[in-house]
Amino acid sequence: MNETGSVSTAPLRARAEIDLAALRANVRALRGRAPGAQLMAVVKSDGYGHGAIPCARAAVEAGATWLGTATPEEALALRERAGVPAEVRIMCWLWTPGGPWRQAIEADLDVSVSGMWALAEVREAARLAGRAARIQLKADTGLGRNGCQPGDDWAELVGEALRAEAEGLVRVTGLWSHLACADEPGHPSVDAQVALFREMVAYAEQRGVRPEVRHIANSPATLTMPETHFDLVRTGIALYGISPSPELGAPADFGLRPVMTLSASIALVKHVPGGHGVSYGHHYVTPGATTLGLVPVGYADGIPRHASGTGPVLVGGKWRTVAGRVAMDQFVVDLGGDEPEAGTEAVLFGPGDRGEPTAEDWAKAAGTIAYEIVTRIGTRVPRVYVNVAT
Ligand SMILES: *Cc1c(COP(=O)(O)O)cnc(C)c1O
């Protein structure tokens, strides 16, 4: 079944197969790593390119009790359309002034507040809505990105949040932060951030905040640092079966399995002589007479142009390499004289157990991280869900 629910047997130009059984198993593996904590399935950016709604549903079926997104729009869409039970909490953390606070309150979202402007806006929206907003105060314990600075800023934010709580306009449901270097075990910033987080939580609790959840762990921290688990772990990339960093280990080392398989139907196979330039700029020239295969996906589909000349593809049981430049809609592989038929499947990446490359292989080929590889797969590539039913 595809995303629109229609069953099609027509061969597709390209497809991203999403294995929801793998996703559910990944959720169970992650819960096993953090048995004392609840699990938030982070499904921002359309579930890291896998489809937020089907992934959210599958994660909840496997025991996630929270869903997390960056933007309020993403969170509102989940509440409206994911069909998850009302007791599943949905949190979003990336707000800008004038954001949809009132809709968020009415949709029972947990909203992150990093500073005084946000607290003022959510308080006013709660007054208009006639009900309390669930807010989670975010501490910057060292990432240097979003979140409230320790010291006077934190004291002021906590104090004002308590005043708003006393007025019945907010309920402070959480205290939370985010790690800078969790994917580098032993990095001194991790212990420093956890220690500061404990202090900032203790300060807020001494002043009278009664959070339901305190949380700081992302995927790498969930997998490798139990001391960061607190009440809730926020896992993104690991849900999708990708290791947060190859230095930490391969997915299988953590009992994880990649969820997305990206493949395309070879559009054309042809013989060319030696010395034939291939694709824009002729950065590849055939070393001798050979066959070329046309793979009908390009950078508009999220195939990184930086993988020109390096990206791996499995065709007919053999790894081939992008020959020359990745174009907007297509790239070419040198098939070395093999003559697969047009329509033969080219697998760009998947779990790896059929011998295909992985998203991590593409990340290496493009000089980036696997997060970016899966997240950038474009909307022109249909997501095809398999193992939808439990
Ligand atoms: C994206 C994100 C996560 C999930 O990170 P992963 O490394 O993918 O597990 C957790 N918390 C916040 C604040 C995020 O933005």
Side-chain angles (χ1 to χ4, degrees), residues 209-229:
V209 174
R210 294 287 170 265
E212 293 170 42
V213 285
R214 295 153 297 181
H215 50 108
I216 193 168
N218 54 3
S219 291
T222 302
L223 292 171
T224 64
M225 300 169 196
E227 71 279 14
T228 65
H229 292 172

Side-chain angles (χ1 to χ4, degrees), residues 2-61:
N2 65 25
E3 212 164 12
T4 58
S6 66
V7 175
S8 168
T9 50
L12 297 167
R13 169 188 71 104
R15 54 194 253 153
E17 188 176 285
I18 309 299
D19 180 356
L20 293 177
L23 188 138
R24 289 190 297 268
N26 293 337
V27 169
R28 289 191 289 268
L30 290 164
R31 288 179 69 208
R33 290 257 162 192
Q38 297 187 67
L39 185 132
M40 176 188 287
V42 178
V43 294
K44 62 190 180 187
S45 194
D46 203 22
Y48 289 43
H50 296 65
I53 286 179
C55 291
R57 280 187 193 138
V60 168
E61 282 163 11

Side-chain angles (χ1 to χ4, degrees), residues 71-350:
T71 72
E73 290 77 13
E74 293 173 311
L76 288 167
L78 283 178
R79 188 61 95 202
E80 281 163 26
R81 299 206 298 275
V84 295
E87 59 271 19
V88 172
R89 302 284 285 269
I90 303 178
M91 177 174 174
C92 56
W93 46 76
L94 192 56
W95 287 85
T96 45
W101 298 103
R102 183 160 176 185
Q103 292 98 302
I105 294 165
E106 288 170 349
D108 277 325
L109 304 184
D110 282 68
V111 301
S112 179
V113 166
S114 282
M116 293 298 286
W117 73 261
L119 186 58
E121 290 200 0
V122 74
R123 206 173 181 172
E124 181 55 23
R127 206 185 305 279
L128 294 171
R131 58 193 274 198
R134 287 178 181 157
I135 69 169
Q136 299 211 10
L137 302 181
K138 182 167 195 188
D140 185 350
T141 54
L143 175 59
R145 206 174 67 178
N146 213 346
C148 181
Q149 286 298 112
D152 293 346
D153 289 357
W154 186 241
E156 183 187 28
L157 186 66
V158 167
E160 272 309 301
L162 285 166
R163 250 187 298 282
E165 201 166 56
E167 293 166 2
L169 295 174
V170 307
R171 161 94 187 92
V172 182
T173 56
L175 298 171
W176 75 295
S177 189
H178 195 36
L179 294 165
C181 306
D183 54 350
E184 297 176 50
H187 193 286
S189 71
V190 177
D191 285 347
Q193 281 199 260
V194 171
L196 181 53
F197 184 56
R198 288 187 192 283
E199 272 177 42
M200 291 173 81
V201 166
Y203 172 82
E205 290 180 341
Q206 274 154 24
R207 298 243 349 229
V209 174
R210 294 287 170 265
E212 293 170 42
V213 285
R214 295 153 297 181
H215 50 108
I216 193 168
N218 54 3
S219 291
T222 302
L223 292 171
T224 64
M225 300 169 196
E227 71 279 14
T228 65
H229 292 172
F230 292 89
D231 306 309
L232 175 70
V233 295
R234 304 187 306 271
T235 53
I237 198 71
L239 288 179
Y240 308 103
I242 292 172
S243 173
S245 148
E247 282 73 49
L248 291 181
D253 297 334
F254 300 110
L256 303 172
R257 178 176 171 81
V259 169
M260 183 188 290
T261 298
L262 181 67
S263 59
S265 293
I266 299 273
L268 181 70
V269 177
K270 63 182 179 183
H271 288 268
V272 294
H276 202 302
V278 176
S279 191
Y280 295 130
H282 280 178
H283 290 277
Y284 183 78
V285 177
T286 54
T290 189
T291 47
L292 298 177
L294 182 63
V295 183
V297 286
Y299 60 77
D301 301 297
I303 310 308
R305 191 168 175 276
H306 273 94
S308 295
T310 57
V313 186
L314 185 75
V315 184
K318 293 181 192 156
W319 275 40
R320 302 298 187 183
T321 303
V322 176
R325 282 198 180 141
V326 174
M328 187 182 292
D329 313 302
Q330 42 194 303
F331 65 82
V332 174
V333 289
D334 186 333
L335 295 170
D338 286 0
E339 299 175 347
E341 281 176 38
T344 295
E345 184 183 44
V347 185
L348 284 79
F349 60 82

